[in-house]
Amino acid sequence: MRSEFDFIALVRQQTLKRRAEGTTAGLIQGIGDDCAVTRSPGADRDSVITADLLVEDVDFRRTSTTPRLLGHRALAISLSDIAAMGARPRWALLSIGVPQDVWNGRFLDEFYKGFYALADEHKVILIGGDVSRTPDRIVIDSIVLGEAARGRAVFRSGARPGDHIFVTGTLGGAAEGLRLLEAGARLKRSGAQSLRPDANQQLMLRHLRPTPRVEWGQLLGEKRLATAMIDLSDGLSSDLTHLCRESGVGAHIEASRIPVDPLLDRVRVRPPDSLSLALNGGEDYELLFTVRPRERLARLPEEVGGVPATYIGDVTNRAGEVALTVGTRTRALQPAGFQHFERMRRKRFPERA
Amino acid sequence: MRSEFDFIALVRQQTLKRRAEGTTAGLIQGIGDDCAVTRSPGADRDSVITADLLVEDVDFRRTSTTPRLLGHRALAISLSDIAAMGARPRWALLSIGVPQDVWNGRFLDEFYKGFYALADEHKVILIGGDVSRTPDRIVIDSIVLGEAARGRAVFRSGARPGDHIFVTGTLGGAAEGLRLLEAGARLKRSGAQSLRPDANQQLMLRHLRPTPRVEWGQLLGEKRLATAMIDLSDGLSSDLTHLCRESGVGAHIEASRIPVDPLLDRVRVRPPDSLSLALNGGEDYELLFTVRPRERLARLPEEVGGVPATYIGDVTNRAGEVALTVGTRTRALQPAGFQHFERMRRKRFPERA
């Protein structure tokens, strides 16, 4: 059984073939990173672009979110990809297919409100897309274009042995939020919510309303602070493995340093379960990045807009090996994100079936 | 009941608001044309981008096409949008969602073969996208980026009274092909097909395997021959109305000049039915464009790559009025594309319901 990664490998191969034929002038990065990157003759800035497909009953359920939150989330996950390139988001396109009853109702108005609220926050303009009918389920393709100063985009492939590994924000909350939703928990009405949401409510919002680290990403790119970067969509164990594979390096991280979402403790999810969620949960949409020691590290801010970045370990020269130290024991960390959560997060195709 | 055009109007309004706020620097054309157009500081070329959503059982049926033809068509309709801007296609992204059984089979391999064959023909490189599971139906979002020399993109809004109206190729064949497919006709196996396809087979291929007018579009843009342009996706009556509305002009076309697909006569579809298909059928993916008389007209080639362009009438100063002369009678031509074919082409939402 093939995985989505086999497909990415196939497309990469075909791009390499065309590169050899000389038809890829202007292509800086094709498939295989958070965004593709292109360069136009004369331009001061490189262009980055990403597309993210959200399918009803795979990526979300109409009964466990609101149209407004869905509009936010569709844009947020693409903004996160732009941030992971160290780029600034500029333009969005939205292809959306809805069944007739959804078209007739208030869904789209609310969806666009959520979308525009986040777009305005980052001065992103909706410039195109498509709208279509579907037989029964909602489908959304969120496309965002951004720009980085020429040569400043940050790839997954730039990490070198000795670099320090950082992660923004906290991890594991979105996965627990999804678990709560799949178990039947629901958001309270917005009135009650806004006053003092309890931990369960906040965890569900971690999943339903992720905050892309747009300012962090842009700063890391513009100031050339990060050597490599990826956003945490599949989960730390998977995404760190991707980064290491692309960079041809290994990594060693320490469990005690991983910034586990403090909300987990409040709902009594504790080690080792909380650590497992932080390592394998996915969809936190935080940024994982590497920094060259010494002068670069000295310039790294402790936080940006109130969001901290935490040192969790180092890049090693043991290519492909990701090691995790828990207490006094060090073991290999397997990329377990979408496999472990296959029953919950059915977006991805399993590597084996 | 709102239409998709109400939505486009809403998004345009919101862009205008943001333009007034000064956050749209670099945006040349937002929603409302075949592509959005952006300009990056210093760049010699403007960027154009389009996205087209194809939903199973709305835009295609698995039983009446082949995966390879579908791969071709997904790219073709986006290339047609790029051509309609007078631009050159460069990069593609493909977001594709498929159910598990499709993932397990040969569908995607064949789909990509069709996609790559057309991409290679136009030196377009696949640089990104997304792949996801869906519960039961295939969904495809085809995104293509192109480039035009700075200021050379052709919009729907540039037609002026006195301009001549042209259309490439022939019209009405795709709609008849779709009618045949919906009535149960099927393509013969490729072996038999390639020898000497009969008229029915060719008509079905007009729908299933449209040929985007990439060379025509690029030439019209680069040589500044067209004042306005749109591709014929909804149908001549609708798309000419769009072009007139955007340009603030009217049009007068003559039925006898419209290049009705000669295959229609071979399957005994004759006037007035053949004319109706040519006017309202849609999905021919030919280019409709306007040319300033005199010097520009003199430079217009009769054909490009064997595909002719036919003069069908003139732009008038009667804003919003599209007139059609049939024999000695002249009447107002209503935009009837997706309404007339609502039962067959359920992609669009009706303007009234």
Side-chain angles (χ1 to χ4, degrees), chain A residues 1-2 14 18 25 31 36 41-42 44 53 90 95 103-105 109 116 120 127 130 133 141 346-347, chain B residues 1-2 14 18 25 31 36 41-42 44 53 90 95 103-105 109 116 120 127 130 133 141 346-347:
Chain A
M1 181 62 56
R2 78 179 134 212
Q14 292 178 296
R18 283 154 188 85
I31 246 162
D44 307 337
L53 197 59
R90 292 298 314 274
S95 291
W103 178 261
N104 294 347
D109 304 82
Y116 270 117
D120 283 348
I127 62 170
D130 199 2
R133 199 177 69 85
D141 197 30
R346 273 162 297 190
K347 179 172 181 57
Chain B
M1 181 62 54
R2 78 180 133 211
Q14 292 179 298
R18 283 154 188 86
I31 244 162
D44 307 338
L53 198 59
R90 292 299 314 276
S95 290
W103 177 261
N104 294 346
D109 304 80
Y116 270 117
D120 283 348
I127 63 170
D130 198 2
R133 199 177 68 86
D141 197 30
R346 273 163 296 190
K347 178 171 180 61

Side-chain angles (χ1 to χ4, degrees), chain A residues 63-320:
Chain A
T63 51
S64 66
T65 186
T66 69
R68 206 180 284 211
L69 288 171
L70 193 59
H72 172 100
R73 185 163 174 244
L75 180 59
I77 59 180
S78 295
L79 289 179
S80 181
D81 283 324
I82 300 285
M85 303 306 292
R88 174 190 170 205
R90 292 298 314 274
W91 318 114
L93 290 88
L94 199 54
S95 291
I96 183 160
V98 296
Q100 189 73 49
D101 63 311
V102 171
W103 178 261
N104 294 347
R106 296 272 311 153
F107 176 91
L108 280 173
D109 304 82
E110 290 291 310
F111 179 91
Y112 277 95
K113 272 184 196 161
F115 183 93
Y116 270 117
L118 182 61
D120 283 348
E121 201 179 302
H122 299 292
K123 298 191 170 26
V124 169
I125 309 290
L126 182 62
I127 62 170
D130 199 2
V131 57
S132 176
R133 199 177 69 85
T134 61
D136 48 16
R137 285 189 182 83
I138 298 166
V139 59
I140 302 153
D141 197 30
S142 165
I143 301 135
V144 177
L145 294 108
E147 57 191 25
R150 202 178 159 95
R152 294 277 175 98
V154 183
F155 302 98
R156 296 178 179 177
S157 54
R160 295 293 167 262
D163 287 359
H164 297 313
I165 303 170
F166 286 83
V167 66
T168 61
T170 62
L171 306 184
E176 176 62 13
L178 177 57
R179 199 197 57 74
L180 288 164
L181 289 162
E182 292 291 294
R186 288 294 175 265
L187 282 183
K188 288 177 195 151
R189 295 248 163 206
S190 55
Q193 222 180 91
S194 59
L195 288 173
R196 197 197 164 92
D198 66 24
N200 280 341
Q201 295 285 310
Q202 288 183 59
L203 285 165
M204 286 185 270
L205 284 168
R206 286 267 203 273
H207 173 73
L208 297 173
R209 199 181 186 289
T211 304
R213 301 308 183 193
V214 175
E215 293 80 7
W216 255 118
Q218 225 174 299
L219 179 116
L220 292 168
E222 279 173 9
K223 297 201 183 293
R224 298 189 175 199
L225 294 173
T227 52
M229 185 149 51
I230 188 171
D231 79 328
L232 292 177
S233 50
D234 289 343
L236 178 58
S237 61
S238 288
D239 292 319
L240 180 55
T241 301
H242 293 151
L243 187 146
C244 286
R245 194 183 298 159
E246 294 302 320
S247 293
V249 298
H252 179 198
I253 60 174
E254 286 185 58
S256 62
R257 295 187 178 275
I258 293 171
V260 176
D261 196 321
L263 290 167
L264 293 177
D265 186 70
R266 286 178 52 197
V267 298
R268 299 177 192 188
V269 178
R270 286 164 187 159
D273 293 345
S274 56
L275 179 65
S276 174
L277 285 170
L279 287 171
N280 307 319
E283 300 199 289
D284 286 311
Y285 296 105
E286 297 294 347
L287 295 175
L288 175 72
F289 60 95
T290 56
V291 178
R292 206 134 292 168
R294 310 212 178 153
E295 79 282 17
R296 291 285 168 86
L297 195 59
R299 286 159 52 209
L300 189 73
E302 280 184 21
E303 55 170 60
V304 171
V307 179
T310 308
Y311 164 68
I312 60 168
D314 299 289
V315 176
T316 68
N317 59 9
R318 303 170 74 112

